[in-house]
Every structure is written in C-alpha cells, then in structure tokens.
Amino acid sequence: MVKKPAPDATRRSEKSRRAIYAAALALVAEAGYPRTTVEGIAARAGVGKQTIYRWWGSKADVLLEAFLDLGEQMARTAGQEASAVPDTGDLAADLKAVLRATIDELLDPRFEVPARSLAAEGLVNEQVGREFVTKLLEPQLQLYVDRLRSAQATGAVRADVDPRIALELFVSPLAQRWLQRTGPISHDYTDTLVDYALHGIAPR
Amino acid sequence: MVKKPAPDATRRSEKSRRAIYAAALALVAEAGYPRTTVEGIAARAGVGKQTIYRWWGSKADVLLEAFLDLGEQMARTAGQEASAVPDTGDLAADLKAVLRATIDELLDPRFEVPARSLAAEGLVNEQVGREFVTKLLEPQLQLYVDRLRSAQATGAVRADVDPRIALELFVSPLAQRWLQRTGPISHDYTDTLVDYALHGIAPR
C-alpha cells in the first residue's frame, strides 16, 4: 500500500515552498545574485538547508522556479491566462493587450527588482543567462510565435516572415527600454511598436 | 606668453592615457565592474593613482571614455566614420551597412567582454546605467534618428513615424540577442530586421 501524505503535511510543505520562493526573491532583490546563498534563503524562509536541497539542485533552480511562480500568480491576479497570447482574430489588438499586461508587470516592484538582478547576473554569468533564457524567456516568446503562425494561416502576416524574428520587433524594444532604462515605457509606447511592426515605417 | 608642452611630454601623456584605457578595459573584463578600482587601473597601467584623478573623476568616467575611444578606434580600423549613418539615398542599404559593422564590433572579444560587464553593472546600478546610456548609447542612437529624419524629408519614411521609436525596431532586437544571448547574430539577421522594420510583417 502506498502511503499518502497526511493533508496537514501537504499543506505544510506547500507553505514552505511559498516561504522559500518569497525568501529567494527578496534576497536576490536586496543583495544581488552573487551574494544570495541557499543558506541565506533557508534562514530567511525559516526552514533547514536540507529542505531546499530536497527540492532543488542549486540557488539558480530555486530562483528560476520562484520567478515562474511569480509570473503565474501575477497573470492570475490580472485575470489572464499566462500560457497563451489571446486569439480573437484581431492580431494588433491581441498583441497590444498582452504587451499592455507586460508593461504592468514590469512596472510592479515585486517583479522588477529581482528580475533585474537575475538578468544582470545572466549577462556576465553565461550559465545563469542560458538557464534564464531557456526556462523563462524563450517559453514566453514561443507564445508569440504561435500567435504569429496562426496569423500567417489567416493571412494577417505574410507567409515569408520568420515569426521568431518578427516578434522581436515589439518585444525587444520594450525589453531594452526596461532593462537598460533607455526610455519610458507605457501602453502608448507598446501600441506604437505593434503598429510599426505590422505595417512598417516606409510609406504603404 | 602661454607655455606649450614640449613634444615629448605630450607624447608621454598620450601614451599614459592609452595605457590607462587599456588597463581599465582589461580589468573590468577580468574582474567585473564592482571589483575594478582606480588603484587597480593605475597599478596595471604603470602610473600613479594621482595621474588618473588628474584627468578623471571616478572609475566610471575612465571606463566610459575608454569605451568611446575603443569604439572610435574600431570604426577607424573598419574604414568608417563613427559619427554618422551614411546617407547614399538608399535607406535600407545604409541601415544594413551600419548594422553589419555593429555585428562585427559586437563579435570582437576586445569589445564584447568589457561591454558586457559594464552593461550588467548598468542594470543594477542605476547611476552607472544612466551614464552608460546618456554618454555612450544615446549619442549613437541619435545618428539613426538623424538618418530617419532625412528619410522622412525624402519620403522614404512616413512623416507620422517617431524616429526615436522606429530605430528600436532594428537596434533593440540586436541588442537583446547580444546581451541576453537569446539567439545568434549575423549580417543576414540584421538585414532581415531592416526589411521587416521598413515594410512591416503584415501583407502590403
């Protein structure tokens, strides 16, 4: 007979997991990635170091999962599905809606400070950078690829366009303004990016 | 009578300046921005700390100037004028030429490693980030603004387009791929960005 965990134990472990995510995000925001340690996360979460190592292999693993979880929670709070770009048949409207929600997320300090610390580490630490891109960024970008492919099927995007490059016309400008503080970000700004990307800047 | 420096003294100080630039770029590449110090730069360049403080106010100032100088040197080596985007009357060709040269620069390790360290520091250290953007990045982006304005005058770009946003359609995707290693960069890639930005991804 397989022993099922008692309901109390499941609740307790879910509570520890949440405490560990919160501690990891708070620490990386305050101290930066290099000075964040598994010991520090454990102490702040009020759990033993072994509890963390039972579930995760490294501090990078904890942080990436904490981010995934934060993104899902924020999407739920905003009443959105985190796992798709909407497809109402109006490509411009769908892209604008998702980018407006992204603006709101990027301007939320709960997300901003730890995301910036992790991104900075990713620039100089190639392994962290690649994990960050593979596990966090690329899956999100693939949602745009899917939406652009469905737009190609209905003729709203040209068939000869590479969707993986096309999405960068509106995603990367926002990423650069946010990361490098090269300019203000707003709903108007991302709306403009979508219009330019769809119709170009040359006369039609 | 104003005393002119003897030719030997001028040569000597130009030589020190070059040695200080080289030391600053090498140190930030090896140790990262936080562990680079004015003392370390002076020791490596074989000059006294006071020589550095005579010319610059801080390590950030030394590094920004070292970068400006490196960019100018690399542009000269490639036979280009660093202070303008060419204007042959063919907007697509001009943008593609400058972006191809930028690809070559970004793939050069002399530039890549220190630029990445400085950019990473700029993400988490707001003051360094703003100096990096104001003194290094924005003046380069303004060259694109000038070229897009001249294209608006000849009708190659629509009059209602904001040039400062439009340039991000081809500059930011390259910046993100390079900084965050989200994909390969090549001449073909930047050529494609220019074509999409000019003509859009929707059917014409």
Side-chain angles (χ1 to χ4, degrees):
Chain A
M1 211 177 98
V2 178
K3 215 173 124 189
K4 282 209 297 189
D8 269 6
T10 309
R11 254 202 304 280
R12 215 166 25 241
S13 100
E14 176 61 18
K15 210 175 134 195
S16 299
R17 187 178 291 269
R18 296 252 145 249
I20 290 164
Y21 287 161
L25 292 173
L27 267 181
V28 84
E30 288 166 20
Y33 184 92
R35 282 193 294 273
T36 298
T37 59
V38 167
E39 286 79 359
I41 297 171
R44 184 147 180 162
V47 302
K49 206 169 97 172
Q50 286 317 313
T51 304
I52 295 187
Y53 282 121
R54 198 186 319 142
W55 290 331
W56 298 282
S58 66
K59 69 173 176 179
D61 290 343
V62 184
L63 272 165
L64 286 165
E65 248 186 54
F67 259 99
L68 283 172
D69 180 71
L70 178 64
E72 280 163 21
Q73 276 187 287
M74 291 177 79
R76 269 199 302 274
T77 310
Q80 292 147 2
E81 192 63 60
S83 58
V85 174
D87 190 349
T88 66
D90 181 341
L91 177 63
D94 292 345
L95 295 176
K96 287 176 185 179
V98 175
L99 287 165
R100 282 171 175 237
T102 305
I103 289 275
D104 297 341
E105 190 176 86
L106 293 177
L107 293 177
D108 187 321
R110 283 178 302 163
F111 181 89
E112 211 223 303
V113 187
R116 195 181 282 287
S117 305
L118 200 56
E121 181 67 12
L123 299 202
V124 287
N125 181 333
E126 190 163 344
Q127 202 201 324
V128 169
R130 295 207 181 275
E131 281 218 51
F132 180 84
V133 168
T134 312
K135 296 192 179 161
L136 271 175
L137 193 56
E138 199 58 40
Q140 288 177 355
L141 299 183
Q142 284 300 318
L143 305 177
Y144 287 106
V145 170
D146 295 344
R147 183 64 186 85
L148 291 174
R149 287 229 172 88
S150 103
Q152 285 178 315
T154 64
V157 168
R158 294 199 315 276
D160 64 323
V161 162
D162 179 337
R164 181 59 189 77
I165 296 179
L167 68 89
E168 297 175 48
L169 268 65
F170 41 84
V171 166
S172 300
L174 173 56
Q176 186 173 31
R177 281 203 181 199
W178 177 71
L179 268 177
Q180 298 198 286
R181 302 184 187 86
T182 47
I185 61 176
S186 67
H187 292 180
D188 273 355
Y189 168 64
T190 47
D191 285 0
T192 302
L193 289 174
V194 170
D195 291 331
Y196 289 1
L198 288 180
H199 306 297
I201 62 169
R204 279 164 277 198
Chain B
M1 210 177 99
V2 178
K3 214 173 123 189
K4 281 207 298 189
D8 268 8
T10 309
R11 255 202 302 279
R12 216 168 24 243
S13 99
E14 175 62 20
K15 211 176 134 194
S16 299
R17 188 180 290 269
R18 295 254 147 248
I20 291 164
Y21 286 161
L25 293 173
L27 267 180
V28 83
E30 287 166 21
Y33 183 91
R35 281 193 295 273
T36 297
T37 59
V38 167
E39 285 78 0
I41 297 171
R44 185 150 181 158
V47 302
K49 207 170 96 172
Q50 286 317 313
T51 303
I52 295 187
Y53 281 122
R54 200 186 318 143
W55 290 332
W56 297 281
S58 67
K59 68 172 176 179
D61 289 341
V62 184
L63 272 165
L64 287 165
E65 248 186 53
F67 258 99
L68 284 173
D69 180 70
L70 178 63
E72 281 163 21
Q73 276 187 287
M74 292 176 79
R76 268 198 304 273
T77 310
Q80 292 145 2
E81 191 63 58
S83 57
V85 174
D87 190 348
T88 66
D90 181 340
L91 178 63
D94 292 345
L95 295 176
K96 286 176 185 178
V98 174
L99 288 165
R100 283 171 174 235
T102 305
I103 290 274
D104 298 341
E105 189 175 89
L106 293 176
L107 293 176
D108 186 320
R110 282 178 302 163
F111 181 89
E112 210 222 304
V113 186
R116 195 179 282 287
S117 305
L118 200 56
E121 181 67 14
L123 299 202
V124 287
N125 180 333
E126 191 163 343
Q127 201 202 324
V128 169
R130 294 207 183 274
E131 280 219 51
F132 181 82
V133 168
T134 312
K135 295 192 180 162
L136 271 175
L137 194 55
E138 199 59 40
Q140 287 176 359
L141 298 184
Q142 284 301 319
L143 305 178
Y144 287 107
V145 169
D146 295 343
R147 183 64 187 85
L148 292 174
R149 287 229 173 90
S150 102
Q152 285 179 312
T154 64
V157 168
R158 294 199 314 277
D160 64 322
V161 161
D162 179 337
R164 181 58 189 76
I165 296 179
L167 68 88
E168 298 176 46
L169 269 66
F170 41 85
V171 165
S172 300
L174 173 57
Q176 187 173 31
R177 282 203 179 198
W178 177 70
L179 267 177
Q180 298 197 287
R181 301 185 187 87
T182 47
I185 61 175
S186 66
H187 293 181
D188 272 355
Y189 168 65
T190 47
D191 285 359
T192 302
L193 290 173
V194 170
D195 290 331
Y196 290 0
L198 288 180
H199 306 297
I201 63 169
R204 276 164 279 196

PDB file of all heavy atoms in Angstrom, chain B residues 116-146:
ATOM      1  N   ARG B 116      29.975  43.944 -21.975  1.00  0.00           N
ATOM      2  CA  ARG B 116      29.008  43.133 -21.246  1.00  0.00           C
ATOM      3  C   ARG B 116      29.078  43.410 -19.734  1.00  0.00           C
ATOM      4  O   ARG B 116      28.058  43.521 -19.057  1.00  0.00           O
ATOM      5  CB  ARG B 116      29.294  41.666 -21.548  1.00  0.00           C
ATOM      6  CG  ARG B 116      28.219  40.719 -21.181  1.00  0.00           C
ATOM      7  CD  ARG B 116      28.631  39.314 -21.549  1.00  0.00           C
ATOM      8  NE  ARG B 116      28.495  39.013 -22.955  1.00  0.00           N
ATOM      9  CZ  ARG B 116      27.335  38.827 -23.573  1.00  0.00           C
ATOM     10  NH1 ARG B 116      26.206  38.945 -22.908  1.00  0.00           N
ATOM     11  NH2 ARG B 116      27.298  38.532 -24.851  1.00  0.00           N
ATOM     12  N   SER B 117      30.317  43.530 -19.206  1.00  0.00           N
ATOM     13  CA  SER B 117      30.484  43.810 -17.766  1.00  0.00           C
ATOM     14  C   SER B 117      29.877  45.160 -17.399  1.00  0.00           C
ATOM     15  O   SER B 117      29.208  45.300 -16.368  1.00  0.00           O
ATOM     16  CB  SER B 117      31.968  43.859 -17.382  1.00  0.00           C
ATOM     17  OG  SER B 117      32.612  42.693 -17.762  1.00  0.00           O
ATOM     18  N   LEU B 118      30.129  46.151 -18.250  1.00  0.00           N
ATOM     19  CA  LEU B 118      29.609  47.488 -17.967  1.00  0.00           C
ATOM     20  C   LEU B 118      28.083  47.498 -18.090  1.00  0.00           C
ATOM     21  O   LEU B 118      27.393  48.089 -17.253  1.00  0.00           O
ATOM     22  CB  LEU B 118      30.239  48.487 -18.942  1.00  0.00           C
ATOM     23  CG  LEU B 118      30.203  49.956 -18.538  1.00  0.00           C
ATOM     24  CD1 LEU B 118      30.852  50.186 -17.190  1.00  0.00           C
ATOM     25  CD2 LEU B 118      30.900  50.828 -19.595  1.00  0.00           C
ATOM     26  N   ALA B 119      27.550  46.804 -19.089  1.00  0.00           N
ATOM     27  CA  ALA B 119      26.094  46.751 -19.268  1.00  0.00           C
ATOM     28  C   ALA B 119      25.442  46.051 -18.077  1.00  0.00           C
ATOM     29  O   ALA B 119      24.405  46.484 -17.575  1.00  0.00           O
ATOM     30  CB  ALA B 119      25.743  46.040 -20.566  1.00  0.00           C
ATOM     31  N   ALA B 120      26.053  44.970 -17.589  1.00  0.00           N
ATOM     32  CA  ALA B 120      25.496  44.229 -16.446  1.00  0.00           C
ATOM     33  C   ALA B 120      25.440  45.135 -15.218  1.00  0.00           C
ATOM     34  O   ALA B 120      24.437  45.163 -14.497  1.00  0.00           O
ATOM     35  CB  ALA B 120      26.336  42.987 -16.155  1.00  0.00           C
ATOM     36  N   GLU B 121      26.514  45.895 -14.980  1.00  0.00           N
ATOM     37  CA  GLU B 121      26.518  46.810 -13.837  1.00  0.00           C
ATOM     38  C   GLU B 121      25.432  47.862 -14.006  1.00  0.00           C
ATOM     39  O   GLU B 121      24.754  48.232 -13.035  1.00  0.00           O
ATOM     40  CB  GLU B 121      27.893  47.478 -13.707  1.00  0.00           C
ATOM     41  CG  GLU B 121      28.007  48.441 -12.535  1.00  0.00           C
ATOM     42  CD  GLU B 121      27.939  47.742 -11.178  1.00  0.00           C
ATOM     43  OE1 GLU B 121      28.068  46.496 -11.120  1.00  0.00           O
ATOM     44  OE2 GLU B 121      27.738  48.446 -10.168  1.00  0.00           O
ATOM     45  N   GLY B 122      25.242  48.309 -15.242  1.00  0.00           N
ATOM     46  CA  GLY B 122      24.229  49.330 -15.516  1.00  0.00           C
ATOM     47  C   GLY B 122      22.815  48.858 -15.198  1.00  0.00           C
ATOM     48  O   GLY B 122      21.942  49.658 -14.887  1.00  0.00           O
ATOM     49  N   LEU B 123      22.560  47.552 -15.269  1.00  0.00           N
ATOM     50  CA  LEU B 123      21.214  47.051 -14.969  1.00  0.00           C
ATOM     51  C   LEU B 123      20.871  47.212 -13.492  1.00  0.00           C
ATOM     52  O   LEU B 123      19.731  47.498 -13.144  1.00  0.00           O
ATOM     53  CB  LEU B 123      21.070  45.566 -15.333  1.00  0.00           C
ATOM     54  CG  LEU B 123      21.265  45.122 -16.781  1.00  0.00           C
ATOM     55  CD1 LEU B 123      20.577  43.800 -17.009  1.00  0.00           C
ATOM     56  CD2 LEU B 123      20.783  46.143 -17.775  1.00  0.00           C
ATOM     57  N   VAL B 124      21.856  46.970 -12.621  1.00  0.00           N
ATOM     58  CA  VAL B 124      21.559  47.007 -11.184  1.00  0.00           C
ATOM     59  C   VAL B 124      21.990  48.307 -10.508  1.00  0.00           C
ATOM     60  O   VAL B 124      21.461  48.676  -9.465  1.00  0.00           O
ATOM     61  CB  VAL B 124      22.187  45.796 -10.436  1.00  0.00           C
ATOM     62  CG1 VAL B 124      21.402  44.532 -10.763  1.00  0.00           C
ATOM     63  CG2 VAL B 124      23.649  45.621 -10.770  1.00  0.00           C
ATOM     64  N   ASN B 125      22.970  49.011 -11.107  1.00  0.00           N
ATOM     65  CA  ASN B 125      23.457  50.267 -10.543  1.00  0.00           C
ATOM     66  C   ASN B 125      22.914  51.388 -11.422  1.00  0.00           C
ATOM     67  O   ASN B 125      23.411  51.649 -12.514  1.00  0.00           O
ATOM     68  CB  ASN B 125      24.985  50.238 -10.549  1.00  0.00           C
ATOM     69  CG  ASN B 125      25.610  51.497  -9.971  1.00  0.00           C
ATOM     70  OD1 ASN B 125      25.017  52.571 -10.016  1.00  0.00           O
ATOM     71  ND2 ASN B 125      26.803  51.353  -9.436  1.00  0.00           N
ATOM     72  N   GLU B 126      21.845  52.047 -10.918  1.00  0.00           N
ATOM     73  CA  GLU B 126      21.117  52.981 -11.766  1.00  0.00           C
ATOM     74  C   GLU B 126      21.990  54.132 -12.253  1.00  0.00           C
ATOM     75  O   GLU B 126      21.865  54.573 -13.393  1.00  0.00           O
ATOM     76  CB  GLU B 126      19.876  53.523 -11.021  1.00  0.00           C
ATOM     77  CG  GLU B 126      18.948  54.292 -11.936  1.00  0.00           C
ATOM     78  CD  GLU B 126      17.545  54.493 -11.355  1.00  0.00           C
ATOM     79  OE1 GLU B 126      17.188  53.770 -10.405  1.00  0.00           O
ATOM     80  OE2 GLU B 126      16.834  55.364 -11.872  1.00  0.00           O
ATOM     81  N   GLN B 127      22.925  54.610 -11.394  1.00  0.00           N
ATOM     82  CA  GLN B 127      23.760  55.749 -11.805  1.00  0.00           C
ATOM     83  C   GLN B 127      24.683  55.371 -12.964  1.00  0.00           C
ATOM     84  O   GLN B 127      24.804  56.095 -13.955  1.00  0.00           O
ATOM     85  CB  GLN B 127      24.570  56.249 -10.616  1.00  0.00           C
ATOM     86  CG  GLN B 127      25.048  57.696 -10.804  1.00  0.00           C
ATOM     87  CD  GLN B 127      26.241  58.021  -9.938  1.00  0.00           C
ATOM     88  OE1 GLN B 127      26.338  57.548  -8.802  1.00  0.00           O
ATOM     89  NE2 GLN B 127      27.161  58.818 -10.456  1.00  0.00           N
ATOM     90  N   VAL B 128      25.345  54.209 -12.838  1.00  0.00           N
ATOM     91  CA  VAL B 128      26.210  53.737 -13.918  1.00  0.00           C
ATOM     92  C   VAL B 128      25.379  53.507 -15.182  1.00  0.00           C
ATOM     93  O   VAL B 128      25.773  53.869 -16.292  1.00  0.00           O
ATOM     94  CB  VAL B 128      26.939  52.430 -13.517  1.00  0.00           C
ATOM     95  CG1 VAL B 128      27.619  51.782 -14.711  1.00  0.00           C
ATOM     96  CG2 VAL B 128      27.958  52.720 -12.429  1.00  0.00           C
ATOM     97  N   GLY B 129      24.190  52.924 -15.011  1.00  0.00           N
ATOM     98  CA  GLY B 129      23.322  52.662 -16.154  1.00  0.00           C
ATOM     99  C   GLY B 129      22.960  53.948 -16.884  1.00  0.00           C
ATOM    100  O   GLY B 129      23.034  54.014 -18.105  1.00  0.00           O
ATOM    101  N   ARG B 130      22.607  54.976 -16.122  1.00  0.00           N
ATOM    102  CA  ARG B 130      22.203  56.236 -16.769  1.00  0.00           C
ATOM    103  C   ARG B 130      23.380  56.908 -17.467  1.00  0.00           C
ATOM    104  O   ARG B 130      23.225  57.475 -18.548  1.00  0.00           O
ATOM    105  CB  ARG B 130      21.544  57.177 -15.750  1.00  0.00           C
ATOM    106  CG  ARG B 130      20.217  56.630 -15.236  1.00  0.00           C
ATOM    107  CD  ARG B 130      19.224  57.673 -14.785  1.00  0.00           C
ATOM    108  NE  ARG B 130      18.039  57.027 -14.248  1.00  0.00           N
ATOM    109  CZ  ARG B 130      17.001  56.615 -14.986  1.00  0.00           C
ATOM    110  NH1 ARG B 130      17.000  56.777 -16.295  1.00  0.00           N
ATOM    111  NH2 ARG B 130      15.961  56.014 -14.417  1.00  0.00           N
ATOM    112  N   GLU B 131      24.564  56.833 -16.874  1.00  0.00           N
ATOM    113  CA  GLU B 131      25.754  57.416 -17.535  1.00  0.00           C
ATOM    114  C   GLU B 131      26.073  56.654 -18.818  1.00  0.00           C
ATOM    115  O   GLU B 131      26.400  57.241 -19.841  1.00  0.00           O
ATOM    116  CB  GLU B 131      26.966  57.339 -16.598  1.00  0.00           C
ATOM    117  CG  GLU B 131      26.975  58.430 -15.559  1.00  0.00           C
ATOM    118  CD  GLU B 131      28.385  58.942 -15.328  1.00  0.00           C
ATOM    119  OE1 GLU B 131      29.093  59.287 -16.289  1.00  0.00           O
ATOM    120  OE2 GLU B 131      28.789  58.963 -14.146  1.00  0.00           O
ATOM    121  N   PHE B 132      25.993  55.339 -18.734  1.00  0.00           N
ATOM    122  CA  PHE B 132      26.254  54.460 -19.885  1.00  0.00           C
ATOM    123  C   PHE B 132      25.307  54.838 -21.031  1.00  0.00           C
ATOM    124  O   PHE B 132      25.723  54.996 -22.181  1.00  0.00           O
ATOM    125  CB  PHE B 132      26.020  53.019 -19.426  1.00  0.00           C
ATOM    126  CG  PHE B 132      26.256  51.956 -20.465  1.00  0.00           C
ATOM    127  CD1 PHE B 132      27.539  51.491 -20.725  1.00  0.00           C
ATOM    128  CD2 PHE B 132      25.190  51.395 -21.150  1.00  0.00           C
ATOM    129  CE1 PHE B 132      27.748  50.494 -21.675  1.00  0.00           C
ATOM    130  CE2 PHE B 132      25.397  50.396 -22.102  1.00  0.00           C
ATOM    131  CZ  PHE B 132      26.681  49.955 -22.364  1.00  0.00           C
ATOM    132  N   VAL B 133      24.030  55.007 -20.695  1.00  0.00           N
ATOM    133  CA  VAL B 133      23.033  55.317 -21.720  1.00  0.00           C
ATOM    134  C   VAL B 133      23.223  56.734 -22.266  1.00  0.00           C
ATOM    135  O   VAL B 133      23.247  56.954 -23.479  1.00  0.00           O
ATOM    136  CB  VAL B 133      21.604  55.134 -21.156  1.00  0.00           C
ATOM    137  CG1 VAL B 133      20.563  55.721 -22.099  1.00  0.00           C
ATOM    138  CG2 VAL B 133      21.330  53.655 -20.906  1.00  0.00           C
ATOM    139  N   THR B 134      23.392  57.706 -21.355  1.00  0.00           N
ATOM    140  CA  THR B 134      23.475  59.116 -21.780  1.00  0.00           C
ATOM    141  C   THR B 134      24.731  59.396 -22.591  1.00  0.00           C
ATOM    142  O   THR B 134      24.682  60.081 -23.612  1.00  0.00           O
ATOM    143  CB  THR B 134      23.485  60.039 -20.532  1.00  0.00           C
ATOM    144  OG1 THR B 134      22.434  59.636 -19.678  1.00  0.00           O
ATOM    145  CG2 THR B 134      23.298  61.487 -20.928  1.00  0.00           C
ATOM    146  N   LYS B 135      25.870  58.848 -22.134  1.00  0.00           N
ATOM    147  CA  LYS B 135      27.132  59.222 -22.781  1.00  0.00           C
ATOM    148  C   LYS B 135      27.511  58.297 -23.933  1.00  0.00           C
ATOM    149  O   LYS B 135      28.216  58.701 -24.846  1.00  0.00           O
ATOM    150  CB  LYS B 135      28.261  59.234 -21.747  1.00  0.00           C
ATOM    151  CG  LYS B 135      28.050  60.311 -20.689  1.00  0.00           C
ATOM    152  CD  LYS B 135      29.281  60.534 -19.849  1.00  0.00           C
ATOM    153  CE  LYS B 135      29.027  61.608 -18.798  1.00  0.00           C
ATOM    154  NZ  LYS B 135      30.009  61.560 -17.705  1.00  0.00           N
ATOM    155  N   LEU B 136      27.103  57.023 -23.858  1.00  0.00           N
ATOM    156  CA  LEU B 136      27.558  56.075 -24.873  1.00  0.00           C
ATOM    157  C   LEU B 136      26.459  55.682 -25.855  1.00  0.00           C
ATOM    158  O   LEU B 136      26.634  55.756 -27.061  1.00  0.00           O
ATOM    159  CB  LEU B 136      28.054  54.787 -24.212  1.00  0.00           C
ATOM    160  CG  LEU B 136      29.512  54.716 -23.804  1.00  0.00           C
ATOM    161  CD1 LEU B 136      29.767  53.420 -23.056  1.00  0.00           C
ATOM    162  CD2 LEU B 136      30.403  54.786 -25.041  1.00  0.00           C
ATOM    163  N   LEU B 137      25.336  55.214 -25.314  1.00  0.00           N
ATOM    164  CA  LEU B 137      24.316  54.605 -26.163  1.00  0.00           C
ATOM    165  C   LEU B 137      23.486  55.658 -26.907  1.00  0.00           C
ATOM    166  O   LEU B 137      23.325  55.600 -28.130  1.00  0.00           O
ATOM    167  CB  LEU B 137      23.423  53.712 -25.293  1.00  0.00           C
ATOM    168  CG  LEU B 137      22.509  52.731 -26.020  1.00  0.00           C
ATOM    169  CD1 LEU B 137      23.297  51.836 -26.955  1.00  0.00           C
ATOM    170  CD2 LEU B 137      21.751  51.880 -24.993  1.00  0.00           C
ATOM    171  N   GLU B 138      22.957  56.638 -26.173  1.00  0.00           N
ATOM    172  CA  GLU B 138      22.030  57.598 -26.782  1.00  0.00           C
ATOM    173  C   GLU B 138      22.667  58.413 -27.917  1.00  0.00           C
ATOM    174  O   GLU B 138      22.028  58.591 -28.963  1.00  0.00           O
ATOM    175  CB  GLU B 138      21.436  58.503 -25.699  1.00  0.00           C
ATOM    176  CG  GLU B 138      20.148  59.223 -26.106  1.00  0.00           C
ATOM    177  CD  GLU B 138      18.993  58.317 -26.512  1.00  0.00           C
ATOM    178  OE1 GLU B 138      18.800  57.270 -25.872  1.00  0.00           O
ATOM    179  OE2 GLU B 138      18.308  58.635 -27.505  1.00  0.00           O
ATOM    180  N   PRO B 139      23.933  58.875 -27.773  1.00  0.00           N
ATOM    181  CA  PRO B 139      24.539  59.589 -28.903  1.00  0.00           C
ATOM    182  C   PRO B 139      24.602  58.728 -30.171  1.00  0.00           C
ATOM    183  O   PRO B 139      24.441  59.233 -31.281  1.00  0.00           O
ATOM    184  CB  PRO B 139      25.949  59.930 -28.407  1.00  0.00           C
ATOM    185  CG  PRO B 139      25.826  59.958 -26.916  1.00  0.00           C
ATOM    186  CD  PRO B 139      24.810  58.903 -26.585  1.00  0.00           C
ATOM    187  N   GLN B 140      24.822  57.410 -29.994  1.00  0.00           N
ATOM    188  CA  GLN B 140      24.830  56.521 -31.167  1.00  0.00           C
ATOM    189  C   GLN B 140      23.431  56.389 -31.755  1.00  0.00           C
ATOM    190  O   GLN B 140      23.260  56.390 -32.976  1.00  0.00           O
ATOM    191  CB  GLN B 140      25.369  55.140 -30.775  1.00  0.00           C
ATOM    192  CG  GLN B 140      26.868  55.163 -30.530  1.00  0.00           C
ATOM    193  CD  GLN B 140      27.397  53.826 -30.045  1.00  0.00           C
ATOM    194  OE1 GLN B 140      26.637  52.862 -29.859  1.00  0.00           O
ATOM    195  NE2 GLN B 140      28.693  53.739 -29.826  1.00  0.00           N
ATOM    196  N   LEU B 141      22.431  56.281 -30.877  1.00  0.00           N
ATOM    197  CA  LEU B 141      21.059  56.145 -31.380  1.00  0.00           C
ATOM    198  C   LEU B 141      20.622  57.416 -32.111  1.00  0.00           C
ATOM    199  O   LEU B 141      19.852  57.347 -33.080  1.00  0.00           O
ATOM    200  CB  LEU B 141      20.105  55.823 -30.227  1.00  0.00           C
ATOM    201  CG  LEU B 141      20.396  54.504 -29.497  1.00  0.00           C
ATOM    202  CD1 LEU B 141      19.333  54.236 -28.439  1.00  0.00           C
ATOM    203  CD2 LEU B 141      20.475  53.324 -30.468  1.00  0.00           C
ATOM    204  N   GLN B 142      21.121  58.574 -31.675  1.00  0.00           N
ATOM    205  CA  GLN B 142      20.747  59.828 -32.339  1.00  0.00           C
ATOM    206  C   GLN B 142      21.217  59.867 -33.792  1.00  0.00           C
ATOM    207  O   GLN B 142      20.621  60.554 -34.624  1.00  0.00           O
ATOM    208  CB  GLN B 142      21.282  61.040 -31.559  1.00  0.00           C
ATOM    209  CG  GLN B 142      20.476  61.362 -30.292  1.00  0.00           C
ATOM    210  CD  GLN B 142      19.005  61.670 -30.571  1.00  0.00           C
ATOM    211  OE1 GLN B 142      18.660  62.355 -31.528  1.00  0.00           O
ATOM    212  NE2 GLN B 142      18.114  61.127 -29.742  1.00  0.00           N
ATOM    213  N   LEU B 143      22.285  59.116 -34.110  1.00  0.00           N
ATOM    214  CA  LEU B 143      22.739  59.058 -35.505  1.00  0.00           C
ATOM    215  C   LEU B 143      21.665  58.397 -36.374  1.00  0.00           C
ATOM    216  O   LEU B 143      21.453  58.783 -37.529  1.00  0.00           O
ATOM    217  CB  LEU B 143      24.063  58.288 -35.611  1.00  0.00           C
ATOM    218  CG  LEU B 143      25.215  58.806 -34.727  1.00  0.00           C
ATOM    219  CD1 LEU B 143      26.451  57.924 -34.895  1.00  0.00           C
ATOM    220  CD2 LEU B 143      25.556  60.254 -35.060  1.00  0.00           C
ATOM    221  N   TYR B 144      20.981  57.395 -35.820  1.00  0.00           N
ATOM    222  CA  TYR B 144      19.861  56.763 -36.544  1.00  0.00           C
ATOM    223  C   TYR B 144      18.682  57.729 -36.659  1.00  0.00           C
ATOM    224  O   TYR B 144      17.994  57.769 -37.674  1.00  0.00           O
ATOM    225  CB  TYR B 144      19.405  55.485 -35.841  1.00  0.00           C
ATOM    226  CG  TYR B 144      20.349  54.320 -35.975  1.00  0.00           C
ATOM    227  CD1 TYR B 144      21.124  53.900 -34.907  1.00  0.00           C
ATOM    228  CD2 TYR B 144      20.451  53.615 -37.176  1.00  0.00           C
ATOM    229  CE1 TYR B 144      21.986  52.814 -35.022  1.00  0.00           C
ATOM    230  CE2 TYR B 144      21.314  52.536 -37.295  1.00  0.00           C
ATOM    231  CZ  TYR B 144      22.077  52.138 -36.215  1.00  0.00           C
ATOM    232  OH  TYR B 144      22.922  51.073 -36.336  1.00  0.00           O
ATOM    233  N   VAL B 145      18.430  58.479 -35.576  1.00  0.00           N
ATOM    234  CA  VAL B 145      17.340  59.467 -35.629  1.00  0.00           C
ATOM    235  C   VAL B 145      17.593  60.435 -36.784  1.00  0.00           C
ATOM    236  O   VAL B 145      16.698  60.709 -37.590  1.00  0.00           O
ATOM    237  CB  VAL B 145      17.227  60.234 -34.279  1.00  0.00           C
ATOM    238  CG1 VAL B 145      16.282  61.437 -34.424  1.00  0.00           C
ATOM    239  CG2 VAL B 145      16.744  59.308 -33.169  1.00  0.00           C
ATOM    240  N   ASP B 146      18.832  60.946 -36.893  1.00  0.00           N
ATOM    241  CA  ASP B 146      19.169  61.893 -37.965  1.00  0.00           C
ATOM    242  C   ASP B 146      18.911  61.268 -39.344  1.00  0.00           C
ATOM    243  O   ASP B 146      18.325  61.898 -40.225  1.00  0.00           O
ATOM    244  CB  ASP B 146      20.647  62.300 -37.878  1.00  0.00           C
ATOM    245  CG  ASP B 146      20.953  63.086 -36.612  1.00  0.00           C
ATOM    246  OD1 ASP B 146      19.991  63.582 -35.985  1.00  0.00           O
ATOM    247  OD2 ASP B 146      22.135  63.187 -36.236  1.00  0.00           O
TER     248      ASP B 146
END
